[in-house]
Each structure stands twice: as structure tokens, then as C-alpha cells.
Amino acid sequence: VFKSESQFVRWLQSHATLAGSELRLGIGDDAALVRPLRGHELILTTDLSVEGTHFSSDMHPAESVGHRALARALSDIAAMGGKPKFALVSIALSRRYSGEWIRDFYKGLFRLARRFGVSVIGGDTAVHPGLTIVDVIATGEVQYGRVMRRSGANVGDQIFVAGRLGGSALGLKMLRAGTKHGSRETQDAAINVHLFPEPQCRLGEFLSKNRIATSAMDLSDGLSTDLRRLCEASGVGARIHTSLLPLAIAPPRFRLTLRELERLALHGGEDYKLLFTVSPRRARSLPRKLAGMEVFRVGEITKAGALALVRDDGRKERLLPQGYDHFRCRTKRIEPLRKHGPSFGSS
Ligand SMILES: [Mg+2]
């Protein structure tokens, strides 16, 4: 598709950049130049997408890989309460991949970028003999003093999630079971949740603008794993009620037990929904929908200690972080790198 690097760069230039007063120079010079908005802070995040760990060529079409690579970064910006602005995309492209693949990768990425007003202002591409590795750096802006952090939860705060949980893990399960995309409408919808996750940027901005959340983060590695990170940052504990969990809806032909759906909701990764806490007083009057997104109360913040899970019959268990064990192996062929290490703070 591309005969030379400069042809590729021209193609990128014509698709990548949206006009905006903050952008002074996009792709084409040695570096990009940006003028930040007055009274705002800059949010910076970077996310790796590694073949064999985050995607595999037999389950994820190139457009999905591009979409997901950017969605992960935008979700982190949403979690901080920011408005996403710019992205830089670097790819170490496997020699096994074609020119069509990289064009489709960018199609998926640009489509998401346009919808959220994000300009791709730079990056780098190299072809190499190894696996394909993508790194997306994204920037966002938040009004000074309005950023949401993981560390603000207080004892008694109510815990909320935005949207249903476990949908991405369910979609992946279906893909692994050999369910083909394009067969039935309900199946496609379930698989699309995995292939094309929607970062909750509007909700993140709404929460921070209106000072609704005392703490927030995005769910990338599963509720049981991510909630523990939020609790550690806040120095608190938490209690989750299974009866309150908004479970993913499986298509009729793909039957799962309630327990299986609960497991996906608790431990399934890559949902990219926002997890946030709200003071008890504010929680009482919180509408069921915020910024067009249905929000669900799933539990409450407790004193520091182990996370607890309250079953429907009232039995109490420890909620252990099982996101990593369950979804460690993301492909059939390739042993992935360790993804859910606690030291990777911005995952
Ligand atoms: Mg995150």
C-alpha cells in the first residue's frame, strides 16, 4: 500500500490532525508544538499494546488493535477527569504484517480519535523481525484543581461503576470459543464490547467538573484487582455486594451461569469503565444516569483491611485480586509477558 516512508507520512498527515487553537505544529516537523490552555493542568499517559499479550493477529482485526491501543490511553485520561487532546503513536511493526494491516490499524485508531476530538501529532514506525508492539502516548487537560485521583476515597463513601462489567472478558471468551464476528447481531454486539471498547471520557469530565467523585480510576485489569489499587492508594478497605453487580448480558446461544458472569464482572479485565467513589450524602441524590451513562452502586468503602465480597445470601468472603491469574494467557500460541504487575501504575 505504501511505497515509501514519506508516502506513509503524507498519508498520516492528511488523516491525523484536527485543527485547534492549542495545536501550533502537528506531524511534519522534528517535533510537535502545543500551547496548553490557561488554568489547566496537563495529563500524560502511555500505554503499550504487545502482540501476544494485548492482542493476537488471529482474534483481533487491525482496526480493533488500533482502536484498543488508543482507547486504553483515553480511558486513563477519563479516569483523571480530563479532556483528551493529543496522541503520539509509535509502532514496532512485525515483518510478518502487511501494509494493509498498518493502514487498517490507523483507520481504527483515527476513527476513535476523531470521535473524541483527539489529534495524532506524532510518532514513529519501524519494521522489525519480532512481534508487533504499539505504544500510544496521550495527553489530556483538566481544569486546575479538578483532577480525580485514586487516593481520595473515605470510609463510608459509596462505590460506583459506570456500565456493565465483564463484557470484554465475555467477548474474548466468545472469540476464543471460535464465535465468528458477523454471524448474528447479538453475538456481534457482545464481541464488539471486547474489540471496540468505549472510553468514558464524557463521564470522566462530568464527574470532575461537578466534583462528584472523591476518588476514581478506570477498570483495566478487573474490579477485584483495580479496586484494591484504589483502596491501597486511599488507605481504606471495601465491601462489594454480588447482588449489586451489573453483569454483562450473554447472547442467548452462549449460556453462562450467574456464577460465571459474576466471575467475569469481578475479575475480567479490559472493561475500561470508570470506578469511582462518592460521599454518602452525595450518593443519596445521585441520578441513575450521569453524562448519558448508567451508573451502578456496587458497595462501600470500609476501614483499611482486606476487601470483602458479600454474597446474595449474606455470606461474607474475602475478595482476592484474581484478574491476573484468570486472564494471564491472552493468546493460544504465545506465552505473554506479565501484564498485571502492581508496579505498572498507569495501566
Ligand atoms: Mg488506568
Side-chain angles (χ1 to χ4, degrees):
V1 229
F2 303 112
K3 292 198 177 66
S4 67
E5 196 175 323
S6 51
Q7 192 194 10
F8 175 58
V9 171
R10 274 198 302 277
W11 182 81
L12 280 181
Q13 260 176 321
S14 64
H15 288 78
T17 308
L18 306 163
S21 58
E22 287 165 70
L23 181 67
R24 310 224 15 236
L25 275 179
I27 294 172
D29 212 304
D30 288 308
L33 194 61
V34 163
R35 179 173 29 209
L37 270 186
R38 187 178 283 200
H40 286 66
E41 292 182 285
L42 197 59
I43 302 168
L44 301 162
T45 183
T46 178
D47 279 279
L48 275 180
S49 298
V50 179
E51 181 184 6
T53 298
H54 301 96
F55 67 92
S56 74
S57 52
D58 54 352
M59 285 191 295
H60 299 90
E63 286 184 43
S64 160
V65 178
H67 178 109
R68 283 158 53 89
L70 180 63
R72 295 178 58 201
L74 299 192
S75 181
D76 281 330
I77 290 168
M80 305 292 285
K83 184 177 178 53
K85 288 283 178 177
F86 303 110
L88 298 126
V89 182
S90 291
I91 310 180
L93 184 71
S94 168
R95 218 170 259 160
R96 292 178 290 116
Y97 284 50
S98 64
E100 276 89 15
W101 192 92
I102 194 146
R103 187 197 55 203
D104 291 346
F105 166 91
Y106 270 109
K107 273 187 186 168
L109 191 145
F110 285 148
R111 198 190 305 136
L112 183 67
R114 265 195 304 277
R115 279 184 34 229
F116 285 95
V118 172
S119 293
V120 175
I121 57 174
D124 200 8
T125 308
V127 178
H128 78 141
L131 299 171
T132 293
I133 298 171
V134 180
D135 181 39
V136 173
I137 294 172
T139 78
E141 280 174 353
V142 64
Q143 224 179 314
Y144 192 82
R146 295 289 172 98
V147 76
M148 300 193 295
R149 299 182 55 180
R150 297 178 179 184
S151 56
N154 302 303
V155 176
D157 283 358
Q158 303 292 303
I159 302 167
F160 287 85
V161 295
R164 297 186 172 274
L165 301 183
S168 180
L170 172 68
L172 181 63
K173 220 173 156 66
M174 292 171 65
L175 284 170
R176 281 206 176 126
T179 312
K180 288 277 174 291
H181 198 247
S183 41
R184 281 158 199 267
E185 222 173 275
T186 51
Q187 286 183 4
D188 275 7
I191 290 173
N192 276 338
V193 171
H194 174 76
L195 293 181
F196 301 99
E198 183 78 1
Q200 297 182 323
C201 296
R202 279 207 304 145
L203 176 63
E205 275 185 80
F206 184 86
L207 292 175
S208 75
K209 261 190 191 135
N210 295 288
R211 297 184 196 272
I212 290 169
T214 52
S215 72
M217 72 180 293
D218 70 318
L219 290 168
S220 54
D221 296 335
L223 180 65
S224 64
T225 301
D226 288 328
L227 177 60
R228 196 167 79 148
R229 292 176 180 150
L230 184 140
C231 285
E232 276 170 5
S234 294
V236 295
R239 191 163 47 223
I240 296 293
H241 304 268
T242 54
S243 60
L244 298 177
L245 287 174
L247 304 177
I249 297 163
R253 267 161 49 92
F254 206 83
R255 267 196 216 112
L256 290 177
T257 65
L258 193 61
R259 260 301 165 98
E260 286 173 304
L261 287 170
E262 269 173 20
R263 280 196 62 79
L264 296 180
L266 289 169
H267 311 302
E270 303 184 314
D271 273 325
Y272 303 114
K273 308 282 198 240
L274 294 189
L275 167 71
F276 58 98
T277 57
V278 179
S279 74
R281 208 170 59 89
R282 191 96 201 237
R284 250 173 268 138
S285 59
L286 203 68
R288 292 180 53 147
K289 273 191 171 183
L290 297 173
M293 191 59 65
E294 214 175 345
V295 296
F296 301 89
R297 188 179 76 83
V298 293
E300 52 276 331
I301 295 293
T302 61
K303 278 187 292 188
L307 303 196
L309 185 70
V310 183
R311 291 272 171 207
D312 294 15
D313 57 11
R315 263 185 315 119
K316 244 174 112 173
E317 305 171 6
R318 275 185 78 155
L319 178 59
L320 298 169
Q322 290 173 62
Y324 166 59
D325 281 350
H326 203 65
F327 291 96
R328 198 165 85 183
C329 221
R330 277 161 194 278
T331 68
K332 293 164 198 158
R333 291 172 289 112
I334 306 156
E335 185 60 29
L337 303 169
R338 189 159 183 271
K339 188 206 165 205
H340 299 285
S343 56
F344 295 102
S346 72
S347 64

